[in-house]
Amino acid sequence: MQKFELNLKETRHTIPLWVGTDLWPTLRQYLGAHYQGRTLFLISDSRVGSLYRRTVLENLSEFFPEEHFILFPEGEASKSREQLARLQDMLLEHKAGRDTLLLALGGGVSGDLVGFLAATLHRGVDLIHLPTSLLAQVDSSIGGKVGINHPVGKNLIGAFYQPRAIFTDIRFLDTLAEEEYLNGLGEVIKYAAILDGELWTWLEKEREKILQRDSAILEKIVARCVELKIAVVEKDEKESRYRSILNFGHTVGHAIEKLSHYEVKHGFAVAAGMKIAARLSNQLLGLPRSWVNRLDQLLEAYRLNRTNLADFSLDQLWNVLLTDKKSRRQHPHFTLLKAPQQAELFYPVQKEELERALSAF
Ligand code: GLY
């Protein structure tokens, strides 16, 4: 087990984050020390909640009654105003006061929805993340981005709201569906591309073990990504500038998610977005073509090459890019690489340049 700390300068907040296998005793100890006598609720989606109901109740029954174990339907559709209202109603019916602690058990949807619920209930109650998907463990549980979707787009209603603690138990990955696991690996490859040559080498060399979810290598990889994300968030919590390094592959990635009506999962869309960002980086900033090829090979090795870019026309992509909140003065801005692990932020890209990148396959 490893313990990390996320230190936020602005609010002088320190958030402990544990990574390991079987963290239940550590969580019990933490709750005993900080939340004895408080009102606790554990909220999870229907899939994860049913898988872990017994384990949760066995381990945490001293902290809350069974009716405080609340489920919402699995899936992105639950990141809605309706579901938020339903959970708010339930909590208030159960007399959740200002001393409430919400435990968010699940993947990205649970973290975002329950996080936003915590941010808004009584102007903010305590929150602990228990991320169960690889994507949530390496990315979405860290850094305080919480929110729900609006019919107009994803994550349009939200807040920065930091949890009190994060418990990242690698064991949860055992029950993750294969697609979800690969989805998370898309973000892991992104960290390696933008920040960490050593992680890149592990990904190239340890493919078999990683795909078999070998727990030792997984713990090492998750811990490394956690460290990388913490370092980024500590430098720029509210994404004034530097945090946008994490958007490598995300500009086109988000457009693909939107154009596919979210049929293409985030990690797969980001994988396609990274391929385009790498080609733009090669054309505009001289990123070596040999490295672009290595990226392609790595994405192939982890079965992340799913998106057929020919399914989307240049005009379709361009129009969505222009509506991106990061676009300025009619130009989408990309996170690119001038060399491996050397990012160039907010690079304005012209339509002809995107066209050239799309034809460079
Ligand atoms: N997932 C990107 C960020 O947290 O900023």
Side-chain angles (χ1 to χ4, degrees), residues 131-236:
T132 60
S133 71
L134 183 58
L135 195 92
Q137 296 196 343
V138 299
D139 184 22
S140 61
S141 66
I142 310 161
K145 286 187 181 176
V146 294
I148 56 172
N149 301 329
H150 184 275
V152 167
K154 243 184 119 169
N155 297 330
L156 292 184
I157 318 281
F160 281 100
Y161 193 70
Q162 298 292 347
R164 293 286 160 180
I166 306 172
F167 292 81
T168 297
D169 196 326
I170 305 297
R171 279 268 164 82
F172 286 125
L173 302 179
D174 292 347
T175 52
L176 200 60
E178 185 68 5
E179 288 289 292
E180 267 311 321
Y181 181 62
L182 298 177
N183 187 32
L185 284 173
E187 289 287 351
V188 175
I189 292 175
K190 179 201 76 182
Y191 282 116
I194 56 172
L195 289 164
D196 192 337
E198 195 178 15
L199 176 59
W200 180 274
T201 309
W202 296 347
L203 288 166
E204 283 186 332
K205 292 211 170 123
E206 307 280 9
R207 178 181 164 271
E208 290 302 320
K209 281 191 183 160
I210 294 170
L211 285 175
Q212 284 160 10
R213 307 189 203 181
D214 173 278
S215 59
I217 182 97
L218 264 186
E219 187 167 332
K220 193 163 121 170
I221 284 180
V222 171
R224 180 63 79 102
C225 292
V226 160
E227 252 184 308
L228 294 167
K229 176 104 191 223
I230 285 177
V232 172
V233 174
E234 282 185 346
K235 274 196 189 143
D236 178 16

